[in-house]
Amino acid sequence: RESFKNALKSPSPTTPKARLQLAKMQIAEDKAAEMTEAIRTLELNLDPEWTKDKDSHSQTLLLLGDAYLRMRE
């Protein structure tokens, strides 16, 4: 988890994928605070600067949907 957080300190082409992996770990915790943090992390991938990576963008949308649904439960 820390390695993904460290990777996010310096934006690079792998930033969206690092955010996805970090968010997946946070969602797996299945705790409200972690879920909220995962949503914040994923929403950063929606910035137009990062939507050029279509694969990461579509995975981000799916994971965000999952996180929002879990928050409602």
Side-chain angles (χ1 to χ4, degrees), residues 18-58:
R19 286 186 186 134
L20 280 168
Q21 293 306 314
L22 179 59
K24 286 177 184 179
M25 285 186 258
Q26 292 166 327
I27 290 170
E29 293 287 324
D30 206 26
K31 297 177 185 168
E34 291 290 326
M35 201 69 64
T36 301
E37 191 60 33
I39 289 169
R40 281 192 205 120
T41 300
L42 290 167
E43 286 175 342
L44 293 171
N45 274 1
L46 300 179
D47 184 291
E49 177 182 355
W50 301 111
T51 58
K52 295 170 191 157
D53 179 346
K54 299 298 181 194
D55 183 51
S56 292
H57 182 69
S58 61

Side-chain angles (χ1 to χ4, degrees), residues 39 42 59-71:
I39 289 169
L42 290 167
Q59 287 183 39
T60 294
L61 293 174
L62 290 171
L63 205 52
L64 260 174
D66 181 49
Y68 283 130
L69 282 172
R70 289 176 187 235
M71 287 289 287

